[in-house]
């Protein structure tokens, strides 16, 4: 793939923004390599999310407003895989919860089967209702008992079911379990996407948007309220990580020596070392996913996707099953968002359900894809890096603007008071305006689809 | 067994709140459905349009309060409402001019307009936060209750109380007035009929000499009025917070779709359907059941089908059921 | 011979920037007459009519109404000039009542429309009975009557019908043709596109056979019915 001059320039420009952040404290830059690396790591994750959304929007024209939900599901997977099981949780209610969930699923499957077998009419409606209502109460009875049992276990520290890490007390030594959790996060997201896609695809395009908006809210409600699952808003902390801990590095004589040879104190060296470790890991994932996405899209399958996007009616007339293809790509895109969500919880070291906000996890990703160039994987990645930079920098930028515009004003002046709070709201406004401007004046983005 | 007390408890905890919430959703859904019918896209910025109108209304309420103007037992916000509507109208007309008009001229696909409305939503949200901040604002003044639970108990001698808040009463009354006006306008006036014609069959409306830009203008004016009214009623009843209005988007969309999007009667039916489903499913039925069940059968749990944290799930579940079995909604909506 | 009341003169053009569909096609209707356009599928019959009505990008040739050049006018402006058009599909406001459909038809008129409405009800008595029913709930034939009635509400000087009998049963079709003749008797010239060539030619004062966007035969309805070539190609011998 040959990059044009323009694209090379864009890549260099974005790279330059990150380098500036790490090297100079001029204007709004911080001049801290640590902050630049942190920014880079989250940019890598955001780029992966953008890749997922680009798959759905750029290549299939599907409008997913529930990116946040799929990202959060990925995060949940990290907890459920990489944490050790809470001792006694299975005995106290874990099995019962599992049984309850199976019964719940069985109720739905049974209802679908009965509906398929019975002729339409009053009898079928009655049977459906009886099955669903009866099944619901039975499910709640079994399930609630189990939940009570689990949540009673040392609620101050646990009260949740835990995960699958078999390290027990020493689970942090099994940091690679975190990497295992990432694809599982993708699977979780894929499962949710299947349910939504099955329902809303094939209907009018904005129904998918509304349905995904809903599922995201519900996934989040579940994560916030089902304490047995991941402690809800009490957060799960101390997640294992696939890179060493700073404190271990600082106590390692070999590392202190090496740090000295780089001319750094052990403290700084350890934080940089850890962050670079994450950067490398994330870059590997990003490149792998990017390569897969490129391969898929230059394959006959990808060409068919674009043909469907450009003319659904014609594709349908040619005997393509549009809804089934859309379902595939919707699931794939959501899965990628799930993977990124799992990675993000790992680098955060904790699952904090209250931080999931649609602005940050749905809307921002959309801005990345649109700014970067929908339909172009490289564009989406570039957009991810650029917009993430803007997202982080908008706050210092807002403060700067507030400083400049209110200079000389009495601090109790209405405008000055408003402007002092403005930095925090700048993000909403800036992202909205950036999106509207790009949609209006450069709808194909910085790196347009070929 | 005590049916009278059961009925009062039911009215107090389910029927009265359900009616008020239903009316708020219905007016919100009417706005969404009007935009869908005429401009043909699902407006994700509607929640924040409501928030903006409410914010302006609150500013005027404060202004009136500082001048010492009040409506006595009624909230001052009712007096400020027309100013809020005017402010909101300016905003949506400006947005239409700057943003939507371009895409209309291009005949952009509905999904593009939906994405654009998402951008508008964030800009509006930013403006609202700038104008009024992010604090929780309670701007209901005047008499708090029409009848309080204690007065009701003293009056009737029953064990259960029935409280009716002034804001609930106002919500229902205003909703009835708004709906009556809207239906009169749509069914009896020439402009209203031309809007219905445009919504029904755009090409034929153009052939009949109906001016599309005028229809769009009137639609935005009505939407501004509906959105501000819905937002103010909701804010009076609960309280105003910049981002809670975004969360109303899901039940409002659900109401509009359940009723049949593009159909005003459907939006009202959908609003009440969603509201009552939400309230009944998240209500703990223990109290009512203890009155009507024989003592031996009294429930020991709360008899709450879902915790209130899952109220979104209720609108969502109903939405999914309707999408699966009747995508055009209860009343036949448009399906393009 | 004097200029016809409405004429699309040697029109060449197509939709938007697409390829030309019409190639020097001429269509005209005289006062008090019925003119029909017939031809095989894809001959450009509807396209020719839409060109006359300004829904096409006509880059050579002209359209003249009562001697006035209206080539540059938009369809809406042509309605104001006195042209009534009934599209082939989606030609009624389905969710509105019959009476509201007629009212909307008269939207551009500022004067009293009661009398015109009565005339339409006299022409189509069934509509009077169903005036308060949603137009979408009516039968196919009745809906076509609503569509024609809507177009008549502007008191047009010429009425254009795009396949008014498409998709209705033969009995209903005969009735519709009768109604159209009645409309013509009130003095309104009618230009219509018809799929059912034989019946159309029977009622036509003037008829145009189009093939591939160009005039193939022109004459009175009777002449074309008698023309062996026309018979062989579209009338099934």
């Amino acid at each position: 793939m040959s990059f044009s001059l323009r694209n090379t320039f864009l890549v260099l420009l974005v790279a330059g923004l990150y380098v500036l952040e790490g090297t100079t404290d001029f204007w709004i830059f911080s001049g801290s390599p640590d902050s630049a690396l942190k920014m880079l790591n989250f940019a890598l994750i955001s780029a992966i999310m953008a890749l997922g959304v680009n798959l759905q929007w750029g290549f299939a024209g599907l409008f997913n407003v529930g990116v946040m939900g799929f990202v959060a599901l990925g995060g949940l997977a990290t907890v459920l895989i990489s944490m050790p099981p809470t001792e006694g949780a299975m005995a106290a209610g874990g099995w019962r919860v599992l049984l309850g969930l199976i019964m719940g699923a069985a109720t739905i499957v049974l209802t679908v089967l009965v509906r398929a077998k019975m002729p339409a009419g009053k009898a079928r409606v009655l049977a459906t209702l009886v099955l669903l209502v009866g099944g619901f109460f039975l499910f709640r009875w079994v399930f609630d008992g189990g939940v009570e049992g689990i949540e009673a276990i040392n609620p101050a520290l646990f009260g949740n079911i835990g995960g699958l890490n078999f390290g027990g007390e020493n689970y942090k030594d099994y940091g690679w379990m975190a990497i295992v959790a990432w694809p599982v996060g993708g699977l979780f997201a894929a499962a949710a996407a299947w349910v939504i896609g099955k329902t809303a695809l094939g209907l009018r395009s904005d129904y998918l948007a509304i349905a995904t908006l809903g599922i995201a809210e519900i996934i989040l409600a579940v994560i916030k309220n089902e304490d047995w699952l991941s402690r809800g808003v009490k957060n799960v902390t101390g997640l294992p990580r696939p890179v060493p801990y700073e404190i271990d590095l600082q106590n390692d004589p070999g590392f202190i020596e090496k740090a000295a040879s780089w001319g750094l104190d052990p403290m700084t060296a350890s934080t940089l070392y850890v962050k670079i470790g994450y950067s490398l890991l994330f870059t590997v994932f990003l490149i792998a996913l990017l390569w897969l996405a490129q391969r898929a899209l230059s394959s006959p399958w990808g060409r068919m996707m674009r043909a469907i996007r450009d003319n659904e009616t014609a594709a349908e007339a040619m005997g393509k099953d549009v809804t089934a293809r859309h379902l595939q790509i919707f699931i794939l895109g959501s899965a990628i968002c799930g993977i990124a969500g799992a990675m993000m919880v790992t680098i955060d070291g904790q699952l904090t359900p209250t931080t999931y906000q649609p602005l940050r996890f749905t809307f921002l990703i959309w801005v990345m894809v649109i700014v970067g160039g929908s339909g172009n994987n490289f564009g989406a990645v570039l957009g991810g890096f650029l917009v993430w930079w803007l997202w982080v920098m908008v706050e210092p930028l807002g403060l700067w603007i507030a400083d400049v515009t209110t200079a000389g004003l009495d601090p109790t002046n209405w405008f000055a008071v408003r402007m002092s709070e403005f930095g925090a709201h700048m993000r909403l406004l800036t992202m909205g305006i950036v999106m509207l401007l790009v949609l209006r004046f450069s709808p194909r983005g910085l790196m347009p689809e070929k | 067994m005590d049916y009278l007390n059961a009925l009062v408890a039911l009215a107090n905890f389910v029927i009265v709140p359900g009616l008020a919430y239903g009316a708020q959703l219905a007016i919100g859904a009417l706005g969404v459905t009007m935009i869908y019918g005429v401009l043909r896209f699902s407006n994700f910025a509607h929640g924040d349009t409501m928030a903006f109108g409410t914010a302006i209304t609150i500013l005027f309420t404060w202004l009136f309060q500082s001048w010492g103007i009040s409506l006595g037992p009624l909230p001052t916000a009712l007096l400020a409402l027309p100013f809020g509507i005017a402010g909101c109208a300016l905003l949506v007309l400006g947005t239409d001019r700057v943003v939507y008009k371009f895409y209309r001229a291009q005949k952009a696909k509905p999904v593009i307009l939906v994405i654009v409305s998402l951008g508008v939503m964030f800009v509006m949200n930013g403006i609202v936060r700038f104008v009024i901040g992010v604090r929780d604002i309670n701007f209901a003044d005047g008499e708090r209750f029409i009848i309080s639970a204690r007065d009701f108990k003293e009056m009737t001698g029953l064990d259960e109380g029935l409280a009716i808040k002034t804001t609930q009463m106002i919500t229902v009354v205003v909703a009835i007035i708004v709906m009556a006006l809207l239906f009169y306008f749509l069914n009896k006036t020439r402009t209203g009929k031309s809007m219905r014609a445009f919504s029904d069959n755009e090409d034929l409306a153009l052939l009949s000499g109906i001016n599309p830009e005028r229809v769009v203008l009137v639609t935005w004016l009505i939407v501004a009025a509906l959105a501000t009214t819905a937002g103010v009623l909701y804010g009076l009843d609960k309280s105003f917070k910049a981002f809670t209005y975004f969360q109303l988007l899901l039940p409002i969309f659900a109401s509009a779709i359940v009723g049949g999007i593009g159909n005003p009667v459907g939006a009202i039916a959908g609003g009440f359907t969603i509201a009552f489903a939400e309230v009944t499913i998240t209500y703990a039925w223990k109290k009512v059941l203890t009155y009507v069940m024989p003592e031996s059968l009294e429930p020991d749990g709360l008899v709450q089908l879902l915790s209130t944290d899952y109220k979104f799930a209720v609108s969502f579940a109903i939405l999914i059921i309707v999408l699966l079995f009747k995508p055009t909604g209860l009343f036949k909506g448009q399906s393009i | 011979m004097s200029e016809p009341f409405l004429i699309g003169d040697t029109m060449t053009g197509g939709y938007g920037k697409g390829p030309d569909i019409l190639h020097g096609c001429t269509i005209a209707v005289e006062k008090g007459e019925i003119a029909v356009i017939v031809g095989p599928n894809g001959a450009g019959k509807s396209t020719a009519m839409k060109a006359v009505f300004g829904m096409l990008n006509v880059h050579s040739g002209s359209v003249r109404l009562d001697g006035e050049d209206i080539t540059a006018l938009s369809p809406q402006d042509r309605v104001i000039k006195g042209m009534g058009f009934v599209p082939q599909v989606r030609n009624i406001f389905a969710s509105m009542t019959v009476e509201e459909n007629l009212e909307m038809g008269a939207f551009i008129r500022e004067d009293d429309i009661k009398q015109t409405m009565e005339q339409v009800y006299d022409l189509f008595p069934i509509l009077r009975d169903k005036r308060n029913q949603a137009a979408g709930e009516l039968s196919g034939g009745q809906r076509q009557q609503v569509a024609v009635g809507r177009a008549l509400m502007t008191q047009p000087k010429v009425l254009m019908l795009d396949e008014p009998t498409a998709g209705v049963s033969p009995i209903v079709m005969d009735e519709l043709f009768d109604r159209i003749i009645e409309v013509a008797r009130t003095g309104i010239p009618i230009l219509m596109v018809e799929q059912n060539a034989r019946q159309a030619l029977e009622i036509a004062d003037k008829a145009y056979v189009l093939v591939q966007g160009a005039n193939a035969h022109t004459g009175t309805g009777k002449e074309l019915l008698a023309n062996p070539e026309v018979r062989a190609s579209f009338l099934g011998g």
Side-chain angles (χ1 to χ4, degrees):
Chain A
M1 168 137 223
S2 73
F3 267 42
S4 69
L5 201 62
R6 174 191 152 94
N7 289 354
T8 319
F9 170 75
L10 285 170
V11 170
L12 286 177
L13 179 85
V14 173
L17 290 174
Y18 282 80
V19 171
L20 280 178
E21 168 67 10
T23 52
T24 172
D25 57 1
F26 172 68
W27 195 35
I28 53 172
F29 297 105
S30 72
S32 142
D34 193 55
S35 131
L37 277 174
K38 189 177 165 204
M39 202 197 250
L40 176 70
N41 284 338
F42 280 94
L44 284 164
I45 295 175
S46 303
I48 294 179
M49 292 180 194
L51 211 53
V53 171
N54 185 40
L55 218 52
Q56 295 175 340
W57 169 245
F59 292 96
L62 299 178
F63 189 31
N64 177 359
V65 197
V67 182
M68 173 183 78
F70 300 110
V71 169
L73 263 186
L76 181 64
T78 306
V79 172
L80 293 183
I81 298 296
S82 73
M83 285 303 275
T86 302
E87 228 163 293
M90 282 319 271
W95 296 114
R96 198 167 159 177
V97 164
L98 213 59
L99 181 70
L101 290 175
I102 292 172
M103 281 169 57
T107 304
I108 294 174
V109 172
L110 196 67
T111 314
V112 171
L113 286 180
V114 165
R115 284 185 63 86
K117 281 261 172 356
M118 283 177 75
K122 280 210 175 106
R124 193 170 82 165
V125 174
L126 196 70
T128 311
L129 279 178
V130 167
L131 271 174
L132 284 179
V133 173
F136 179 78
F137 280 104
L138 208 61
F139 155 76
R140 278 297 296 264
W141 181 70
V142 174
F143 180 80
D144 287 3
V147 167
E148 237 168 77
I150 298 175
E151 292 183 354
I153 306 173
N154 194 358
L157 282 176
F158 298 106
N160 66 330
I161 187 111
L164 293 178
N165 193 317
F166 41 77
E169 294 260 294
N170 303 319
Y171 71 95
K172 287 193 177 173
D173 296 341
Y174 293 81
W176 55 267
M177 291 284 292
I179 301 184
V180 176
W182 298 349
V184 176
L187 285 180
F188 277 30
W194 181 79
V195 174
I196 289 300
K198 265 287 183 199
T199 327
L201 285 171
L203 295 171
R204 210 178 39 224
S205 57
D206 23 4
Y207 280 176
L208 179 70
I210 294 165
T212 48
L213 176 81
I215 194 76
E217 292 292 336
I218 288 169
I219 288 173
L220 216 61
V222 169
I223 296 181
K224 277 183 184 162
N225 293 300
E226 297 302 312
D227 287 9
W228 63 272
L229 197 59
S230 59
R231 306 194 72 227
V233 289
K234 289 180 285 184
N235 305 347
V236 178
T237 53
L239 294 174
R241 40 154 89 166
V243 294
Y245 285 84
E246 287 88 345
I247 192 81
D248 294 340
L249 290 174
Q250 287 160 22
N251 293 331
D252 176 6
F255 182 78
I256 297 177
E257 209 171 290
K258 244 191 265 172
S261 75
W262 296 328
L264 294 168
D265 65 281
M267 187 84 137
T268 319
S270 65
T271 57
L272 292 182
Y273 184 87
V274 168
K275 290 210 166 66
I276 292 174
Y278 271 124
S279 304
L280 293 176
L281 212 49
F282 291 167
T283 308
V284 170
F285 261 77
L286 175 62
I287 290 178
L289 287 170
L290 189 57
W291 182 75
L292 283 173
Q294 282 301 102
R295 279 293 299 265
L297 292 163
S298 54
S299 70
W301 181 82
R303 280 197 298 278
M304 178 173 64
M305 279 301 172
R306 274 170 290 171
I308 290 175
R309 177 197 62 186
D310 293 337
N311 194 337
E312 215 165 285
T313 328
E316 211 152 35
M318 280 158 63
K320 309 284 182 209
D321 187 345
V322 172
T323 309
R325 297 292 148 264
H326 277 170
L327 186 62
Q328 282 174 351
I329 206 156
F330 184 67
I331 290 176
L332 279 178
S334 302
I336 293 180
C337 292
I339 294 174
M343 293 163 77
M344 203 188 60
V345 167
T346 300
I347 194 174
D348 279 340
Q350 57 177 352
L351 177 68
T352 330
T354 46
T355 54
Y356 288 98
Q357 276 158 12
L359 168 69
R360 161 74 179 83
F361 289 101
T362 297
F363 183 64
L364 185 66
I365 311 303
W366 269 94
V367 178
M368 290 171 177
V369 172
I370 288 168
V371 168
S374 43
N376 183 334
N377 287 323
F378 292 97
V381 171
L382 179 88
F385 280 88
L386 178 63
V387 173
W388 180 256
W389 179 87
L390 184 65
W391 169 261
V392 176
M393 286 315 215
V394 153
E395 214 163 311
L397 196 67
L399 291 176
W400 178 77
I401 292 175
D403 271 355
V404 171
T405 51
T406 60
L409 278 180
D410 180 6
T412 56
N413 174 293
W414 175 83
F415 186 70
V417 172
R418 286 272 150 258
M419 283 311 283
S420 69
E421 291 176 13
F422 188 52
H425 315 316
M426 252 303 260
R427 281 187 171 156
L428 283 164
L429 214 56
T430 318
M431 292 300 149
I433 290 174
V434 165
M435 185 168 178
L436 288 178
L437 287 178
V438 172
L439 277 173
R440 172 79 148 78
F441 296 106
S442 175
R444 282 156 57 77
L446 290 174
M447 262 190 211
E449 185 186 358
K450 288 198 179 57
Chain B
M1 276 188 271
D2 185 348
Y3 288 107
L4 203 55
N5 271 316
L7 199 67
V8 172
L10 186 72
N12 191 35
F13 294 107
V14 175
I15 297 177
V16 172
L19 272 178
Y21 183 44
Q24 290 149 10
L25 285 186
I27 306 178
L30 275 174
V32 165
T33 235
M34 294 280 287
I35 296 180
Y36 188 86
V38 173
L39 294 130
R40 296 174 213 288
F41 70 96
S42 306
N43 183 14
F44 274 71
H46 197 72
D48 289 288
T49 310
M50 284 164 58
F52 182 82
T54 313
I56 300 294
T57 308
I58 292 174
L59 291 180
F60 274 98
T61 306
W62 288 343
L63 183 71
F64 292 153
Q65 283 169 346
S66 74
W67 287 349
I69 301 176
S70 84
L71 278 180
L74 296 177
T76 317
L78 285 184
L79 209 57
L81 183 62
F83 298 91
I85 291 175
C88 189
L90 285 179
L91 178 81
V92 292
L93 288 179
T95 312
D96 185 70
R97 205 56 192 280
V98 178
V99 184
Y100 294 122
K101 194 172 181 184
F102 169 78
Y103 297 97
R104 208 162 44 241
Q106 280 203 324
K107 297 204 187 305
K109 281 192 279 184
V111 68
I112 300 290
L113 279 162
V114 173
I115 293 178
V116 169
S117 80
L118 208 61
V120 169
M121 164 175 120
F122 278 89
V123 175
M124 280 189 182
N125 197 303
I127 296 176
V128 169
R129 286 169 186 227
F130 179 73
V131 169
I132 203 154
V134 288
R135 288 169 303 130
D136 210 342
I137 298 169
N138 198 332
F139 60 103
D141 52 7
E143 208 60 53
R144 208 168 126 63
F145 287 103
I146 287 179
I147 182 162
S148 74
R150 186 143 43 95
D151 291 347
F152 183 85
K153 281 188 213 166
E154 275 169 17
M155 249 164 54
T156 57
L158 288 172
D159 293 338
E160 281 300 320
L162 174 65
I164 301 178
K165 288 197 284 179
T166 318
T167 54
Q168 290 170 329
M169 193 65 187
I170 289 175
T171 298
V172 174
V173 171
V174 170
I176 291 171
I177 295 172
V178 163
M179 289 169 196
L181 281 177
L182 183 68
F183 281 100
Y184 174 81
F185 172 76
L186 286 178
N187 291 315
K188 299 289 173 205
T189 67
R190 209 166 100 97
T191 311
K193 284 181 198 171
S194 73
M195 277 174 67
R196 280 168 55 217
F198 187 85
S199 157
D200 182 311
N201 189 337
E202 189 174 336
D203 295 329
L204 197 62
L206 294 178
L207 278 186
S208 306
I210 293 169
N211 178 354
E213 286 307 310
R214 196 179 129 80
V215 169
V216 168
L217 176 93
V218 175
T219 305
W220 280 119
L221 288 178
I222 294 174
V223 166
L226 288 171
T228 309
T229 309
V232 168
L233 292 178
Y234 185 83
L236 280 175
D237 197 14
K238 312 275 168 25
S239 73
F240 176 82
K241 212 171 185 179
F243 59 82
T244 45
Y245 284 76
F246 167 76
Q247 294 177 328
L248 278 179
L249 209 51
L250 184 63
I252 284 179
F253 272 134
S255 305
I257 293 177
V258 166
I261 196 158
N263 182 327
V265 181
I268 293 168
F272 285 104
T273 308
I274 295 287
F276 275 104
E278 224 176 72
V279 175
T280 48
I281 291 177
T282 56
Y283 174 63
W285 287 89
K286 182 182 165 74
K287 199 170 217 172
V288 173
L289 290 181
T290 6
Y291 282 120
V292 292
M293 299 262 242
E295 229 160 277
S296 55
L297 281 176
E298 264 176 32
D300 44 351
L302 285 171
V303 205
Q304 188 182 17
L305 294 178
L306 274 179
S307 99
T308 40
D309 301 308
Y310 289 125
K311 57 176 196 246
F312 296 123
V314 178
S315 354
F316 184 72
I318 296 176
L319 178 68
I320 293 291
I321 291 168
V322 169
L323 287 187
L324 280 176
F325 297 107
K326 209 164 184 303
T328 51
L330 299 175
F331 293 78
K332 202 163 165 287
Q334 290 175 337
S335 43
I336 288 177
Chain C
M1 197 174 124
S2 72
E3 164 106 352
F5 182 67
L6 171 68
I7 179 165
D9 202 354
T10 51
M11 302 177 294
T12 301
Y15 293 102
K17 293 193 172 84
D20 284 349
I21 302 172
L22 298 181
H23 307 280
C25 173
T26 297
I27 304 288
V29 60
E30 301 278 358
K31 270 198 174 138
E33 287 192 351
I34 297 179
V36 302
I37 308 172
V38 295
N41 282 331
K45 306 186 293 286
S46 288
T47 311
M49 175 171 279
K50 284 176 184 164
V52 173
F53 194 60
M55 295 163 88
L56 216 63
N57 187 12
V58 175
H59 54 73
S60 84
S62 64
V63 182
R64 293 186 301 276
L65 177 69
D66 206 3
E68 185 187 351
D69 190 329
I70 56 167
T71 320
L73 293 187
S74 69
Q76 285 82 352
D77 290 335
R78 293 180 203 218
V79 173
I80 296 168
K81 287 277 177 207
M83 293 170 76
F85 179 63
V86 180
Q88 184 183 347
V89 288
R90 289 181 50 80
N91 51 18
I92 55 167
F93 299 111
S95 67
M96 304 178 80
T97 66
V98 170
E99 187 145 315
E100 284 171 337
N101 265 276
L102 299 185
E103 265 178 70
M104 286 302 110
F107 193 80
I108 52 166
R109 285 177 55 186
E110 298 290 337
D111 54 337
D112 191 24
I113 59 168
K114 280 266 152 47
Q115 212 186 338
T116 321
M117 200 178 275
E118 281 307 311
Q119 286 167 358
V120 171
Y121 284 147
D122 290 341
L123 265 172
F124 308 113
I126 186 77
L127 298 188
R128 195 194 304 269
D129 302 338
K130 310 230 168 194
R131 63 204 297 171
N132 291 321
Q133 212 168 324
E137 292 167 4
L138 304 184
S139 72
Q142 291 164 351
R143 284 153 71 134
Q144 291 297 23
Q145 296 183 27
V146 175
V148 175
R150 186 206 62 82
L152 288 174
M153 287 302 293
T154 50
Q155 295 178 310
K157 293 183 215 151
V158 55
L159 184 64
M160 315 211 306
L161 309 172
D162 193 354
E163 301 207 15
T165 64
V168 300
S169 69
I171 299 167
V172 176
M173 188 167 76
D174 287 344
E175 198 198 325
L176 273 175
F177 275 126
D178 290 345
R179 301 273 168 235
I180 290 165
I181 295 169
E182 264 179 61
V183 173
R185 282 204 193 116
T186 64
I188 302 173
I190 291 178
L191 175 63
M192 76 176 177
V193 169
E194 250 311 322
Q195 194 71 256
N196 304 293
R198 188 181 295 273
Q199 279 104 322
L201 291 177
E202 274 165 10
I203 65 167
D205 298 303
K206 188 80 174 259
Y208 299 87
V209 176
L210 297 193
V211 175
Q212 294 191 332
N215 295 69
H217 307 276
T218 307
T220 65
K222 290 213 174 62
E223 279 167 13
L224 291 190
L225 273 175
N227 183 325
E229 211 179 313
V230 173
R231 293 177 68 101
S233 24
F234 330 108
L235 300 177

